[in-house]
């Protein structure tokens, strides 16, 4: 049993990125119930406060990572990784993708009311979103969805953990958007 646990540990350490449950079960040739038992044991081992490493679960995949409270010491040895700077426009675009995924650029633009080429390209560059195929419609537009990096950055295991959107606020936003459009149209008519 300890040898199988050590094998999972070795794989996760060596890969340096998340590894799916299926890949781990195949590599160890173990059933699902044993896999979850071993993962639970590793979580207990690494999620203690006296451990410098933690075991992350990211949408059915697993990864060993440094505990955030030790980043300051780690940075003294390695160059600090650049954290993406997200503008309000990028956050708005990312929010739409996170809650509506998979979604096309045209759908994002319809919600935002403006072009979104730049924020989508930056989010792709930061690996917070990825292409998720094409919509079976005229022009076959690209579909976008969030990535594991998105989950890591926002500290959630799955998109199911994203906060619920208050429907009253959604209605308020719709009302504000309609008023803005009406005002813009009136401005155009007067000119």
């Amino acid at each position: 049993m300890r040898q199988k646990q050590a094998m999972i540990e070795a794989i996760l350490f060596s890969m340096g990125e998340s590894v799916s449950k299926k890949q781990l079960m195949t590599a160890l040739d173990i059933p699902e119930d044993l896999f979850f038992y071993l993962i639970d044991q590793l979580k207990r081992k690494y999620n203690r406060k006296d451990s410098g490493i933690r075991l992350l679960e990211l949408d059915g995949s697993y990864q060993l990572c440094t505990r955030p409270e030790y980043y300051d010491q780690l940075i003294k040895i390695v160059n600090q990784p650049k954290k993406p700077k997200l503008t309000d426009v990028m956050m708005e675009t990312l929010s739409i993708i996170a809650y509506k995924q998979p979604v096309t650029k045209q759908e994002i633009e319809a919600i935002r009311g403006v072009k979104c080429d730049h924020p989508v390209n930056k989010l792709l560059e930061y690996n917070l979103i990825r292409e998720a195929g094409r919509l079976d419609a005229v022009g076959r537009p690209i579909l976008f969805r969030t990535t594991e990096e998105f989950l890591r950055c926002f500290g959630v295991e799955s998109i199911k953990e994203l906060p619920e959107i208050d429907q009253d606020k959604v209605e308020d936003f719709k009302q504000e958007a309609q008023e803005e459009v009406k005002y813009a149209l009136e401005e155009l008519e007067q000119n």
Side-chain angles (χ1 to χ4, degrees):
M1 191 78 70
R2 288 194 187 271
Q3 186 179 19
K4 296 280 189 190
Q5 188 177 8
M7 288 177 191
I8 291 174
E9 195 173 39
I11 291 168
L12 294 178
F13 178 78
S14 298
M15 293 302 292
E17 58 186 36
S18 67
V19 181
S20 73
K21 173 184 80 165
K22 183 179 178 182
Q23 290 173 308
L24 289 166
M25 287 174 51
T26 301
L28 275 65
D29 193 28
I30 58 173
E32 190 173 54
D33 59 335
L34 178 56
F35 171 79
F36 283 121
Y37 173 79
L38 294 170
I39 286 293
D40 186 56
Q41 295 302 307
L42 283 172
K43 280 183 180 178
R44 290 173 196 255
K45 176 181 178 179
Y46 286 116
N47 291 345
R48 293 188 336 247
K49 291 289 181 201
D50 64 344
S51 174
I53 296 173
R54 65 184 178 147
L55 178 62
L56 286 180
E57 181 177 351
L58 303 163
D59 212 12
S61 294
Y62 299 86
Q63 180 176 5
L64 289 177
C65 296
T66 306
R67 293 184 73 83
E69 53 266 34
Y70 300 120
Y71 285 170
D72 289 340
Q73 291 74 28
L74 183 62
I75 288 169
K76 292 177 183 177
I77 297 174
V78 293
N79 290 335
Q80 182 176 6
K82 279 191 173 180
K83 285 196 173 186
K85 295 204 181 225
L86 299 178
T87 63
D88 290 344
V89 170
M90 290 168 63
M91 282 297 289
E92 186 178 301
T93 303
L94 185 58
S95 297
I96 293 167
I97 295 168
Y99 281 98
K100 307 243 344 138
Q101 62 185 305
V103 63
T104 66
K105 199 183 295 185
Q106 292 81 1
E107 290 170 307
I108 299 166
E109 290 170 352
I111 293 168
R112 290 195 62 238
V114 294
K115 299 285 277 173
C116 66
D117 294 332
H118 178 72
V120 166
N121 289 336
K122 288 306 259 182
L123 293 169
L124 283 166
E125 179 183 322
Y126 292 154
N127 194 31
L128 294 173
I129 64 169
R130 66 177 176 83
E131 291 184 10
R134 292 190 172 266
L135 186 63
D136 191 19
V138 177
R140 307 232 339 117
I142 297 170
L143 291 165
F144 295 97
R145 69 178 324 111
T146 56
T147 62
E148 282 185 357
E149 186 63 23
F150 167 84
L151 299 176
R152 252 188 298 283
C153 286
F154 289 90
V156 294
E157 291 182 10
S158 150
I159 57 167
K160 293 175 185 160
E161 290 184 16
L162 293 175
E164 293 276 329
I165 298 175
D166 182 357
Q167 289 305 314
D168 291 337
K169 289 222 185 257
V170 170
E171 290 306 316
D172 290 346
F173 291 144
K174 281 183 185 176
Q175 182 69 30
E176 285 177 27
Q178 288 171 347
E179 288 173 12
E180 286 179 24
V181 167
K182 182 180 174 186
Y183 177 75
L185 289 174
E186 288 172 357
E187 288 279 314
L188 285 174
E189 289 174 1
Q190 290 177 0
N191 292 333

